[in-house]
Amino acid sequence: MLKDKILVIGASGQIGVELTMALRKIYGNANVVASDLREENELLKGTGPYVSLDVMNKEMLHVQVIRQNITQIYLLAAILSATGEKNPNLAWNLNMQGLLNVLDIAREEQVQKVYWPSSIAVFGPTSPKKNCPQQTIIEPITVYGISKYAGEFWCNYYNRRFNVDVRSLRYPGLISYKSEPGGGTTDYAIDIFNCAVESNSYKCYLKEDTYLPMMYMPDAIRATIELMEAPVEKISVRTSYNISAISFSPAEIAASIKQYVTSFKIKYKPDYRQTIAESWPQSIDDSVAENDWHWKPEYDLQKLTVDMLKNIKKN
Ligand code: VAH
């Protein structure tokens, strides 16, 4: 039985840092190789192997997978929704070619498992707004959403055609304090906490009643690991699973913060990201993930607010 050896691509990003730390706790520091184009994140330094890697350089990636005897690949490198609209071609090329490089190498080297995140950004204005189901009308209007939806079909193809065990989650907006957000439309839900602690005020780029599906990072990391550890026969979705935790608006998260930062003030100045946010569902039906591998979130808005404020103040 080959020893588990994991390669995390995009390990210095918002999800990558925390996923690498969680995987190192499970598999051992030396068995989780962190990689990124950027330099190693401070939180990862000294906790395990780190290689500089460009997911667009297929040959280099292939050499790393062979040389390190990689058995699982977690591909987190991507350009998110807001940044992607400023660089459509770059977003499409990185998000698509990066995935195809990984899937092809996984097929060729018989990598045991691959993880690749999709997003609720695959849904568009014609998808149901409330309790958006796993299968429905899906017409994304951002390059990020288009690339993620196309990527889901490539994952399904490589699984059916070449038996690559690639698994995926449609992450909602993710909230965390350990590493910088990655240029998404939902990043306001992180910025608002930092601004509340630093200056007691925040200028929000979304309208106050813009409801979006969100999740605290500890829930997202646990969902990822629970999906990857689920027995293969339990996995009925080979595009990408809907998962959800909470939905809230800027006004609601501001009210939650005001319970602890009583002088906190918020202003609203919507920008181009309002159109992106309005194209997405307000809430997600994740009953398929619940049925297949018993997904269940643990953090509500109250618990998330307390933990975010406590840790940002500590940092
Ligand atoms: C973004 N944080 O805002 C990402 C996420 C649901 C949105 O995929 O682009």
Side-chain angles (χ1 to χ4, degrees):
M1 174 73 169
L2 255 180
K3 189 175 172 53
D4 280 315
K5 190 78 180 289
I6 295 173
L7 174 65
V8 179
I9 303 171
S12 284
Q14 181 196 7
I15 302 169
V17 169
E18 300 203 45
L19 191 54
T20 301
M21 292 161 78
L23 290 168
R24 283 178 170 164
K25 273 207 191 87
I26 298 168
Y27 293 96
N29 288 353
N31 298 318
V32 181
V33 180
S35 74
D36 204 302
L37 203 52
R38 291 168 287 190
E39 66 167 40
E40 188 175 19
N41 183 285
E42 281 305 316
L43 290 173
L44 297 180
K45 281 185 177 158
T47 70
Y50 191 88
V51 293
S52 173
L53 189 68
D54 178 356
V55 73
M56 299 297 276
N57 184 331
K58 189 176 177 182
E59 292 66 35
M60 233 178 85
L61 175 59
H62 202 159
V63 164
Q64 281 296 338
V65 169
I66 296 170
R67 187 180 291 168
Q68 304 265 8
N69 299 310
I70 297 299
T71 61
Q72 295 185 38
I73 301 176
Y74 287 69
L75 170 56
L76 302 167
I79 291 181
L80 301 186
S81 60
T83 311
E85 290 309 291
K86 292 179 186 160
N87 307 278
N89 292 331
L90 182 64
W92 172 258
N93 289 332
L94 170 62
N95 295 1
M96 281 325 317
Q97 199 53 53
L99 173 62
L100 292 173
N101 288 348
V102 167
L103 289 173
D104 222 23
I105 292 165
R107 174 179 65 83
E108 212 169 315
E109 300 306 328
Q110 295 177 345
V111 170
Q112 285 169 9
K113 282 184 203 172
V114 175
Y115 177 73
W116 174 78
S118 181
S119 161
I120 59 116
V122 300
F123 297 113
T126 52
S127 306
K129 284 292 175 212
K130 297 203 187 310
N131 287 322
C132 189
Q134 178 71 45
Q135 289 185 309
T136 183
I137 302 161
I138 300 190
E139 297 172 328
I141 62 161
T142 62
V143 173
Y144 173 67
I146 295 165
S147 71
K148 286 298 182 182
Y149 199 34
E152 290 186 9
F153 290 116
W154 276 112
C155 292
N156 194 45
Y157 179 82
Y158 267 80
N159 177 257
R160 296 167 69 95
R161 177 85 195 275
F162 304 117
N163 201 29
V164 174
D165 186 358
V166 48
R167 306 182 188 189
S168 179
L169 297 173
R170 287 173 180 161
Y171 287 137
L174 300 184
I175 299 167
S176 62
Y177 59 88
K178 289 183 182 167
S179 53
E180 287 302 305
T185 300
T186 59
D187 292 356
Y188 91 87
I190 299 165
D191 303 339
I192 193 168
F193 283 102
N194 292 316
C195 291
V197 171
E198 284 152 24
S199 63
N200 268 0
S201 67
Y202 178 59
K203 192 162 74 177
C204 185
Y205 55 74
L206 295 183
K207 285 181 187 159
E208 61 183 298
D209 58 351
T210 310
Y211 274 84
L212 286 172
M214 298 280 191
M215 185 178 285
Y216 198 33
M217 187 62 82
D219 269 345
I221 299 299
R222 181 171 53 82
T224 307
I225 289 169
E226 286 178 5
L227 169 72
M228 293 303 277
E229 290 183 344
V232 65
E233 62 274 9
K234 298 284 185 196
I235 307 297
S236 72
V237 173
R238 287 292 180 172
T239 47
S240 185
Y241 277 96
N242 279 8
I243 53 164
S244 86
I246 39 184
S247 289
F248 55 74
S249 65
E252 288 184 340
I253 192 169
S256 183
I257 290 169
K258 266 186 202 139
Q259 293 175 65
Y260 306 94
V261 185
T262 48
S263 57
F264 176 65
K265 297 229 178 325
I266 185 167
K267 284 200 179 76
Y268 299 94
K269 195 169 177 344
D271 67 13
Y272 75 100
R273 288 166 285 192
Q274 182 64 34
T275 311
I276 298 173
E278 282 173 358
S279 75
W280 293 343
Q282 293 176 351
S283 59
I284 299 290
D285 170 4
D286 60 2
S287 51
V288 178
E290 199 179 335
N291 297 336
D292 283 8
W293 43 278
H294 314 303
W295 162 243
K296 205 154 187 54
E298 286 173 10
Y299 282 84
D300 61 12
L301 180 55
Q302 180 82 7
K303 212 172 151 188
L304 174 161
T305 300
V306 169
D307 202 62
M308 281 291 283
L309 290 173
K310 181 182 76 179
N311 285 287
I312 292 171
K313 284 175 185 160
K314 208 166 32 176
N315 289 356

